[in-house]
Amino acid sequence: MKKDLLTIMDLTAAEIASIFKLSTELKNNKKKFSKALAGKSLALIFQKPSNRTRVSFEVGMYQLGGNALYLSPNEINIGVRESIKDVAKTISRYVDGIVLRTFEHKNCLDMAASASVPIINGLSDFSHPCQALADLFTVKEKLKDLKKVLLAYVGDGNNVCNSLLFAAVKCGMSMNVASPKGYAPDEKVISQARIFAKETGSRINIFEDPLACVRGAQVVYTDVWASMGQEEEVNKRKIIFKDFQINSKLLSGADPKVLVMHCLPAHRGEEITDEVLDSKNSIVFDQAENRMHVQKAILIKLLKGEK
Ligand code: CP
Ligand code: NVA
């Protein structure tokens, strides 16, 4: 049976550990896997812009001996030119896997229900699982034992935050989240995360005070205040989120060796200052690089049906 990756909840802790193990091998020995997906094709159906996700999947597929094809919003035009069901059924006849970047998460569910090949969520309004896997892989590379890590996420309780919460609790990492009132992650996400946290020993705490959130954290993470699709809220959010900027003042309340992460693209001078983004504490480009290694592991697992 095909396996999809729509949210982190589609993966067990053991599957995540296995993805991380394979990611390390792929990162250390590119040549060994140069034919791993020979003859396989991957379609990237994107309804939103992308740098990292598109490039890392396309290059990743090439490095594995396979082929990727990018389908821009205007080409497929899901739901307008053709129903999502018909897109899924048609493309499944040509390719071995589909990466979908979309607005409503329901589109991922609908595509997965109709496609006969694996669907990988390349970002929806609800989740960004490939990002969170690459993020935790990066933290693990730097700090080794995720169970000893507290990650403080400061900002909007959005898709990236949701996926980080799910990945954290699956891996036993603890997480604090600070957001302005009304912008915390959805209650349902928090309660679902807490169910897993009980099993793995993660601690999940929600704050409205960014200083309290970063205290004692080994990693501080942020994302844009207005995500793709929320462009009309940009000015309103700049005011609401102004005290949630990752700057040197906020970090003075954290460990001097704190690692700073951002999924990128960053809005420099808004959610993060140049000084912090360009500092020696920042690991944002290691994080971006790891998208490719981790996604190659995901592709091998899903497209070859490997456990
Ligand atoms: N982090 C991330 O998904 O970047 P892109 O939107 O550029 O793909
Ligand atoms: N939360 C952001 C992440 C971009 C990678 C967005 O959805 O636009």
Side-chain angles (χ1 to χ4, degrees):
M1 211 182 81
K2 67 147 180 158
K3 183 169 171 66
D4 305 303
L5 175 56
L6 307 185
T7 85
I8 293 290
M9 288 301 168
D10 291 330
L11 298 171
T12 62
E15 284 169 332
I16 295 176
S18 170
I19 289 171
F20 287 172
K21 186 167 175 275
L22 182 56
S23 306
T24 304
E25 285 178 50
L26 285 154
K27 188 168 179 173
N28 294 337
N29 194 348
K30 199 161 96 183
K31 275 208 182 122
K32 182 178 159 196
F33 296 91
S34 63
K35 300 269 184 292
L37 292 183
K40 303 268 184 195
S41 291
L42 179 75
L44 306 176
I45 304 180
F46 279 35
Q47 296 188 297
K48 292 176 178 177
S50 171
N51 169 1
R52 281 144 291 273
T53 308
R54 177 181 175 181
V55 177
S56 56
F57 267 113
E58 283 200 28
V59 175
M61 223 22 217
Y62 171 77
Q63 290 182 357
L64 293 170
N67 169 59
L69 84 160
Y70 172 76
L71 297 153
S72 70
N74 291 339
E75 273 164 301
I76 295 273
N77 211 352
I78 294 174
V80 180
R81 186 167 186 270
E82 210 168 2
S83 72
I84 198 153
K85 190 175 176 174
D86 293 346
V87 172
K89 285 181 181 289
T90 307
I91 305 252
S92 292
R93 299 288 179 110
Y94 304 131
V95 302
D96 304 281
I98 299 171
V99 180
L100 176 63
R101 168 165 285 208
T102 188
F103 290 90
E104 277 176 72
H105 187 70
K106 186 175 177 296
N107 289 338
C108 293
L109 301 171
D110 290 349
M111 184 154 299
S114 296
S116 55
V117 297
I119 304 298
I120 299 171
N121 179 358
L123 184 148
S124 67
D125 288 357
F126 175 68
S127 78
H128 198 2
C130 299
Q131 181 70 53
L133 290 172
D135 294 342
L136 264 67
F137 177 75
T138 309
V139 175
K140 195 170 167 348
E141 267 189 338
K142 306 281 177 193
L143 300 175
K144 314 292 176 227
D145 187 357
L146 290 175
K147 289 192 160 49
K148 291 189 182 145
V149 174
L150 171 64
L151 181 146
Y153 178 96
V154 177
D156 189 23
N158 60 15
N159 47 6
V160 168
C161 181
N162 291 343
S163 291
L164 278 171
L165 276 167
F166 287 162
V169 296
K170 289 256 168 164
C171 295
M173 187 179 84
S174 292
M175 194 164 152
N176 288 347
V177 179
S179 315
K181 220 184 213 11
Y183 293 86
D186 196 281
E187 267 307 323
K188 275 193 226 137
V189 171
I190 297 170
S191 46
Q192 201 182 356
R194 282 196 170 129
I195 293 170
F196 283 90
K198 269 199 198 123
E199 281 173 28
T200 57
S202 306
R203 283 165 295 118
I204 300 299
N205 287 302
I206 310 297
F207 296 80
E208 281 175 20
D209 174 6
L211 259 175
C213 177
V214 303
R215 208 166 291 138
Q218 290 79 39
V219 184
V220 171
Y221 196 118
T222 193
D223 183 15
V224 291
W225 292 336
S227 287
M228 291 179 276
Q230 297 174 330
E231 287 76 12
E232 75 289 354
E233 292 181 41
V234 164
N235 290 332
K236 179 180 113 182
R237 283 173 176 254
K238 271 187 201 165
I239 298 164
I240 293 170
F241 281 85
K242 70 174 178 6
D243 296 330
F244 290 75
Q245 185 186 61
I246 306 295
N247 52 34
S248 45
K249 185 167 167 234
L250 180 69
L251 293 188
S252 65
D255 186 323
K257 284 202 235 133
V258 73
L259 299 175
V260 175
M261 300 181 79
H262 191 310
C263 57
L264 304 175
H267 293 162
R268 289 169 174 261
E270 292 180 23
E271 75 276 2
I272 192 162
T273 57
D274 282 324
E275 190 187 4
V276 171
L277 195 65
D278 298 328
S279 71
K280 60 176 183 1
N281 300 58
S282 166
I283 55 167
V284 300
F285 298 108
D286 296 328
Q287 200 185 336
E289 177 188 329
N290 281 335
R291 289 289 304 276
M292 188 168 75
H293 305 302
V294 171
Q295 286 163 194
K296 283 168 73 177
I298 295 168
L299 288 170
I300 290 177
K301 300 264 177 205
L302 266 51
L303 272 52
K304 289 181 87 167
E306 276 186 11
K307 281 283 150 204

